[in-house]
Amino acid sequence: MVAIAEQREQVENHQQNIGSQIDICQVSHVFDTPKGKLPVLNQVNLTVQAGEFVALLGPSGCGKSTLLRLVAGLEPATQGTLLQDDELIVRPDPSRIVVFQDPTLFPWRTVWDNVALGLQARGLLRRDRHRVDDALNRVGLGEFAQSYPHQLSGGMAQRVAFARALVNDPSLLILDEPLGKLDSLTRLAMQTELVDLWRKNGFSALLVTHDVEEALFLAQRVVVFSERPARIKAEIRVDLPYPRHRGDPRIAALRREALAHLGLDDSW
């Protein structure tokens, strides 16, 4: 029991040392379209604590992925501020890595070379080659370093995408439906692997998903958004220990609560 307690303390300390705090303050965003201005976010206020795992739920097209792009620094918000550890987010940074639904691997590069791409682009590969092997080992793909993307299953390809993110030692992992294209069994297995990666590596995580059960299985807090322009309707704290069990009646109760906020509870 002492060893287990010490291991848990080490994980918690690792999270405190690595994860970034993200503050989203009064953020609104508008797209210019041929038909005029299209508001997509409406006065969003949200804080992701250092080392916290937060999931975003909401109707399709409401603006969740747009919020992720703003947090990543891929474009500026129309209104409001976004902060990482009290510093303004004004551009992309290796400390904030996005993992998309599609792993977007280069087919002509080996698994190792795909994971190394970020270090190579930053001129760090010669010095930090060992980090590529370490990242592949962390996702269980060390033996596939010299394989090519066409030789991988969908789940393995997505694990390569996670390794490509982890090689940069990010303090925030931005997850835009990263498991959305996987078959159901692979998706369940990858959910468990993603939780393990988060707990072992200590980064903060911000996830967009349309899967209510996935959000409750992974996250410590689930934020529910309204229709576009998105505003926060509710926050659900998932005060359940890890590892979680999908059959836990408390998850079922929280799922009904989340679906109620989404207007879908009549079917459950």
Side-chain angles (χ1 to χ4, degrees):
M1 293 295 291
V2 173
I4 293 175
E6 289 177 349
Q7 186 178 26
R8 184 180 297 115
E9 183 178 358
Q10 289 173 359
V11 170
E12 290 172 351
N13 288 340
H14 194 46
Q15 288 180 324
Q16 290 171 1
N17 291 335
I18 293 181
S20 280
Q21 177 171 314
I22 302 297
D23 293 295
I24 300 166
C25 310
Q26 294 291 308
V27 166
S28 296
H29 198 63
V30 177
F31 286 130
D32 290 319
T33 74
K35 295 183 178 181
K37 294 188 179 298
L38 178 67
V40 291
L41 296 171
N42 180 23
Q43 298 291 296
V44 174
N45 290 284
L46 177 65
T47 293
V48 178
Q49 300 293 340
E52 187 181 17
F53 199 129
V54 175
L56 309 182
L57 283 175
S60 181
C62 74
K64 304 181 299 298
S65 292
T66 296
L67 184 60
L68 292 193
R69 289 180 59 82
L70 301 183
V71 172
L74 296 174
E75 58 186 287
T78 304
Q79 179 182 327
T81 56
L82 297 100
L83 304 170
Q84 176 183 7
D85 297 328
D86 296 323
E87 297 288 335
L88 279 173
I89 295 174
V90 294
R91 63 181 64 87
D93 188 90
S95 66
R96 300 186 308 276
I97 300 295
V98 185
V99 179
F100 295 102
Q101 188 177 84
D102 191 325
T104 61
L105 304 179
F106 291 109
W108 60 87
R109 296 177 70 108
T110 64
V111 165
W112 197 95
D113 288 332
N114 268 284
V115 174
L117 190 60
L119 294 177
Q120 186 178 32
R122 294 160 59 199
L124 301 176
L125 184 57
R126 179 173 294 183
R127 187 191 73 187
D128 292 337
R129 292 179 63 87
H130 66 280
R131 288 167 58 179
V132 180
D133 297 318
D134 178 59
L136 284 170
N137 288 330
R138 280 192 271 177
V139 300
L141 290 178
E143 296 181 357
F144 293 87
Q146 297 308 312
S147 299
Y148 285 88
H150 74 272
Q151 298 172 309
L152 307 178
S153 67
M156 292 169 70
Q158 196 60 291
R159 276 193 272 163
V160 175
F162 284 124
R164 186 175 55 192
L166 293 174
V167 77
N168 294 288
D169 289 328
S171 56
L172 174 68
L173 208 56
I174 301 169
L175 304 161
D176 194 357
E177 292 200 78
L179 311 181
K181 287 189 175 180
L182 302 178
D183 66 85
S184 59
L185 293 180
T186 303
R187 184 167 185 161
L188 293 178
M190 286 294 297
Q191 288 170 3
T192 299
E193 292 182 19
L194 178 54
V195 168
D196 289 344
L197 287 173
W198 165 67
R199 296 181 72 198
K200 290 175 183 176
N201 292 280
F203 48 77
S204 305
L206 187 59
L207 165 75
V208 161
T209 179
H210 287 98
D211 188 324
V212 173
E213 188 173 88
E214 179 172 271
L216 296 171
F217 183 77
L218 295 174
Q220 296 170 301
R221 187 159 46 110
V222 176
V223 179
V224 183
F225 283 91
S226 68
E227 296 278 357
R228 188 181 64 237
R231 57 178 178 79
I232 294 177
K233 290 182 66 177
E235 293 190 13
I236 301 171
R237 293 202 171 271
V238 190
D239 294 324
L240 301 177
Y242 296 94
R244 292 173 179 169
H245 192 280
R246 300 176 197 281
D248 191 323
R250 292 172 294 180
I251 286 185
L254 290 171
R255 179 178 59 195
R256 184 171 181 84
E257 179 183 346
L259 289 170
H261 289 303
L262 293 167
L264 299 171
D265 56 318
D266 287 344
S267 60
W268 291 84

